[in-house]
Amino acid sequence: MDALEDPVLAQPVGLCCLKGSIHSGEPAGKIVQIGGVDTYVATPDKTTSNGHVLLFFPDAFGLHINNFLTMDAFAACGYLTLGVDYFAGSWKNKHMSSTDRVAAKWARDVEAEYGPNGEVKFVCAGHCWGARFVCGQLSKDGFCKAGAIAHPSFMNESHVIGIDAPILFSVPVTDSLFMPEQRRRAVEIMTEGKKKYNMQIFSNVAHGFASRAFLSDPYEKWAKEQSFKSFVQWFDFWLSVS
């Protein structure tokens, strides 16, 4: 499908994807190799584990402190959380062409390693760069029961058309990469396709708020935390009825 047949909904990564606050904290997880790809693994406590696995597709910062802490937070909510380093330690100029291939293979390797008996349920989350990979895992060819994305980039209509499992969007009211007209078109596609979806829209935050909010700003901190809570509640609900 060429560009004329597959209009862009969320624009490619721009400078806004590199702005925001660097958070502080000590990551609790570890990096292992899955299918030859560095993978951050955040493991829930045995008393809180729900037995499910969350695939995390990070923003343009890749495996970075902010994303480590987010994955640790998902683990604290009971999910064994796995994050992929599709940039191989670098950023888009070097690895743009390979991230789709790496992400797809990595997801299959994760499924083979963590869910071979079919008892484990999978969900997926993605910020910015990771949004389209979440869409892919929610297609008929994917294996995730539900997904959630925040401030997407590099997302075309075909990514949304192909969604076949519940999806949550968490977005700013004004985002230069996902403008209101494209947001309305995404809603139109999902509504016409009778897809299970929800979209939460936050005012007074920018692209990247869910991963790089300025925590010194009370409202930005609240919006980031609310977005995260919505992801977890979305996953918990759909897994409870699947």
Side-chain angles (χ1 to χ4, degrees):
M1 186 177 290
D2 61 33
L4 293 177
E5 298 173 324
D6 189 16
V8 170
L9 288 179
Q11 298 293 326
V13 165
L15 291 178
C16 60
C17 301
L18 299 178
K19 295 179 179 179
S21 173
I22 305 302
H23 301 159
S24 61
E26 188 66 32
K30 61 182 180 180
I31 293 179
V32 303
Q33 289 267 308
I34 297 180
V37 177
D38 280 353
T39 303
Y40 184 79
V41 180
T43 304
D45 185 272
K46 290 182 180 179
T47 61
T48 59
S49 174
N50 59 23
H52 304 313
V53 176
L54 188 154
L55 279 66
F56 186 78
F57 297 96
D59 61 11
F61 277 74
L63 293 190
H64 175 269
I65 182 61
N66 292 28
N67 293 322
F68 291 155
L69 297 176
T70 295
M71 288 184 273
D72 289 347
F74 280 125
C77 293
Y79 289 88
L80 174 62
T81 304
L82 310 173
V84 57
D85 179 18
Y86 31 47
F87 298 120
S90 183
W91 197 62
K92 71 168 188 174
N93 289 339
K94 181 177 180 182
H95 292 284
M96 174 64 199
S97 62
S98 66
T99 55
D100 288 60
R101 172 181 52 78
V102 170
K105 180 181 182 301
W106 176 81
R108 292 193 299 270
D109 290 337
V110 167
E111 182 188 25
E113 183 166 337
Y114 288 90
N117 57 13
E119 294 179 1
V120 174
K121 296 178 182 178
F122 294 86
V123 293
C124 53
H127 294 167
C128 182
W129 192 293
R132 69 186 187 280
F133 303 126
V134 169
C135 294
Q137 290 307 315
L138 301 181
S139 71
K140 286 184 170 61
D141 296 327
F143 56 87
C144 290
K145 299 293 186 181
I149 62 177
H151 40 80
S153 65
F154 282 108
M155 188 177 70
N156 291 1
E157 287 194 4
S158 62
H159 294 115
V160 177
I161 291 170
I163 292 171
D164 195 49
I167 186 168
L168 168 70
F169 282 71
S170 186
V171 298
V173 67
T174 302
D175 184 342
S176 61
L177 300 189
F178 192 43
M179 297 294 286
E181 56 267 31
Q182 278 74 46
R183 188 173 69 232
R184 287 192 292 270
R185 177 57 182 151
V187 170
E188 183 179 64
I189 291 170
M190 291 186 290
T191 302
E192 291 176 349
K194 294 181 169 50
K195 303 179 189 301
K196 298 180 177 69
Y197 74 94
N198 191 18
M199 183 174 289
Q200 57 178 190
I201 303 172
F202 293 89
S203 65
N204 300 316
V205 293
H207 181 91
F209 79 95
S211 53
R212 299 185 306 281
F214 286 93
L215 302 182
S216 58
D217 181 311
Y219 178 76
E220 280 198 28
K221 183 175 184 290
W222 176 85
K224 178 187 184 303
E225 292 174 349
Q226 190 63 37
S227 177
F228 174 82
K229 289 177 183 177
S230 296
F231 275 37
V232 174
Q233 290 169 355
W234 184 255
F235 298 145
D236 288 349
F237 172 75
W238 287 109
L239 289 178
S240 72
V241 298
S242 64

